[in-house]
Amino acid sequence: MKTRYRSLDIFRGATVCLMILVNNPGSWSQIFAPLKHAPWHGLTPTDLVFPFFLFAVGNAMAFVLPRLKEQGPGVFWRKVMKRSILIFAIGLFLNWYPFVRWHEGSLEFIGWVNQHNSEKGVRIFGVLQRIAVCYLFASIIAFYLKPKAAWFFSIILLLAYWAFCLLGNSTDPYSLEGWFGTNIDKAILGISHMYKGEGVPFDPEGLLSTIPAIVEVIFGFFVGSYIKNTASSTEPSSIYKMLTGLFVAGVALLLTGFCWDMVFPINKKIWTSSYTVYTVGLAIITLSTMIYLIEVKNYKGFPTRFFEVFGKNALFIFSLSAFLPKTAGLFTSDEGVNFWNFLYKKIYINIPGDPKFGSLMYALTVILFMWAICWWLDKKKIYIKV
């Protein structure tokens, strides 16, 4: 078997594709249930997208970190810090962009804190920011600790987060109002810089819930290393041994997460430890299935070619999918129409039947548009990396 697995690129590409799909409906009020996040406890297919991407970040680390170890700590810190800071800065830029807004018929600058309401301001954290922080700390752990020590440290982090939740509020530790991390985010980030989509200041990508998310990346690193080391073997049966090991590990983690859910509910918004374990199990099973179909059975159908181009410019295309609608918002007509939502407002919204179909059709159109950009970049051998 070749040492470069296409399935890893396709897994990452499919994850980014789904991230763009769920973030770009025609209307946020017209979304099919599987494309929504769970209201609180539990999960939907949408709740698998972000952890799967962090898992894929860990997979990629397994192929890069050995070279950084050979080059020494100086190169490691320079490259990892640079990448983490850039990803975080891009996320913060997108939160603040386009820096101006329409207010009472005129454009005004968006300040770090809203001049009309001191409890509103630029959100500090977000998806890209969490990716940056998780990548940074997971890289440090994987670089300086041996695999067994990194494994035990990851378990300690998951258990410690559980303990923090219980100690922070022993009577109601897992509710929106009772979760301990919100008070810490308020104290450090400030209410004006937190997410308020739940109706109250609460950040689903806040400081404390990042702890178990870091473990998601570390587990992805373990799996990537296992795949990489097995791929270098010359034994014909090595890939089957590898797949068996992955399936067993995936099922074991899946069951562990399910059992842990009974006392520490699976919850994406506070990223519980049970959620980390459960989604890692699902990610391993999904990736194992893809390796079997793509690498062993040599499947080369349209889905593999479609998702692969997304995986080659993953962070760029995800950032672009957030940048374009914000830019379009500056040129919106009185009817709420701009170049980004024109198709939905003028065509898809008029599709007969359930209005959710029109909203979904628009999201799929966005996916095709983004795919065309990725396809062109891949054809020109342009790969935009941070």
Side-chain angles (χ1 to χ4, degrees):
M1 298 299 299
K2 53 187 176 295
T3 57
R4 178 67 181 182
Y5 279 76
R6 285 183 65 230
S7 48
L8 296 176
D9 290 330
I10 294 167
F11 177 83
R12 181 171 60 253
T15 303
V16 172
C17 180
L18 290 173
M19 289 174 79
I20 296 171
L21 178 71
V22 301
N23 286 339
N24 289 278
S27 170
W28 287 104
S29 62
Q30 302 294 341
I31 307 174
F32 287 108
L35 298 178
K36 295 180 181 179
H37 290 291
W40 194 246
H41 295 325
L43 50 76
T44 68
T46 298
D47 293 313
L48 301 177
V49 176
F50 196 4
F52 274 30
F53 189 82
L54 289 178
F55 181 82
V57 169
N59 293 161
M61 275 173 48
F63 292 84
V64 175
L65 210 59
R67 295 199 298 271
L68 295 180
K69 285 187 176 182
E70 291 176 359
Q71 294 169 334
V75 175
F76 165 79
W77 280 102
R78 186 168 63 253
K79 290 189 175 181
V80 169
M81 287 300 299
K82 178 184 176 183
R83 189 161 195 250
S84 300
I85 291 170
L86 281 173
I87 295 173
F88 193 99
I90 292 169
L92 187 59
F93 167 84
L94 290 172
N95 282 357
W96 202 340
Y97 183 78
F99 310 112
V100 293
R101 64 166 159 252
W102 289 103
H103 181 74
E104 297 180 352
S106 61
L107 279 176
E108 70 172 18
F109 175 71
I110 299 174
W112 183 244
V113 177
N114 190 305
Q115 59 181 311
H116 307 292
N117 185 343
S118 61
E119 291 195 353
K120 293 182 179 180
V122 178
R123 185 185 174 201
I124 294 176
F125 277 90
V127 171
L128 288 175
Q129 293 92 316
R130 171 159 285 184
I131 291 172
V133 173
C134 290
Y135 167 74
L136 172 63
F137 284 98
S139 297
I140 294 170
I141 292 167
F143 186 84
Y144 283 101
L145 296 182
K146 293 181 179 180
K148 185 177 290 187
W151 169 262
F152 281 114
F153 188 71
S154 299
I155 301 303
I156 289 171
L157 287 178
L158 293 177
L159 293 174
Y161 180 68
W162 186 20
F164 291 154
C165 288
L166 292 172
L167 293 173
N169 184 346
S170 59
T171 57
D172 190 23
Y174 311 128
S175 69
L176 175 62
E177 298 79 11
W179 182 64
F180 82 108
T182 297
N183 288 331
I184 295 173
D185 287 339
K186 287 179 180 178
I188 297 176
L189 303 176
I191 291 176
S192 58
H193 304 301
M194 293 173 61
Y195 181 74
K196 300 176 183 69
E198 301 294 332
V200 295
F202 164 78
D203 207 312
E205 280 85 41
L207 293 166
L208 273 296
S209 59
T210 301
I211 294 173
I214 293 170
V215 178
E216 197 98 33
V217 180
I218 298 172
F219 281 177
F221 171 77
F222 289 149
V223 172
S225 298
Y226 180 62
I227 292 171
K228 177 176 175 288
N229 294 336
T230 307
S232 62
S233 173
T234 57
E235 295 182 21
S237 62
S238 63
I239 191 168
Y240 292 102
K241 292 179 181 178
M242 179 263 287
L243 287 173
T244 301
L246 288 178
F247 272 113
V248 170
V251 171
L253 289 169
L254 204 63
L255 291 175
T256 301
F258 182 75
C259 293
W260 205 350
D261 169 65
M262 298 177 186
V263 290
F264 192 15
I266 290 173
N267 187 307
K268 187 262 181 190
K269 293 181 179 179
I270 58 174
W271 209 290
T272 55
S273 302
S274 57
Y275 173 71
T276 294
V277 173
Y278 191 85
T279 52
V280 166
L282 283 176
I284 292 174
I285 291 172
T286 303
L287 182 58
S288 302
T289 303
M290 293 175 68
I291 291 173
Y292 176 74
L293 293 175
I294 296 167
E295 315 296 345
V296 178
K297 293 300 183 180
N298 202 29
Y299 175 75
K300 295 181 179 178
F302 173 75
T304 60
R305 298 192 298 273
F306 183 85
F307 291 125
E308 189 172 12
V309 296
F310 275 107
K312 292 179 178 179
N313 277 292
L315 284 175
F316 167 75
I317 203 63
F318 176 73
S319 300
L320 186 65
S321 71
F323 176 83
L324 289 177
K326 289 195 169 204
T327 302
L330 292 173
F331 307 98
T332 302
S333 70
D334 293 338
E335 298 176 344
V337 180
N338 56 54
F339 69 81
W340 184 254
N341 64 17
F342 180 85
L343 285 175
Y344 177 71
K345 294 287 187 180
K346 295 298 184 179
I347 298 175
Y348 292 140
I349 200 171
N350 297 314
I351 293 177
D354 192 333
K356 293 184 179 67
F357 282 107
S359 184
L360 177 60
M361 286 296 297
Y362 173 77
L364 292 173
T365 302
V366 172
I367 289 295
L368 289 176
F369 175 67
M370 292 298 169
W371 177 85
I373 295 173
C374 289
W375 175 82
W376 181 83
L377 290 171
D378 185 48
K379 184 179 180 181
K380 297 295 184 180
K381 305 299 181 185
I382 300 172
Y383 304 112
I384 303 170
K385 300 183 182 296
V386 177

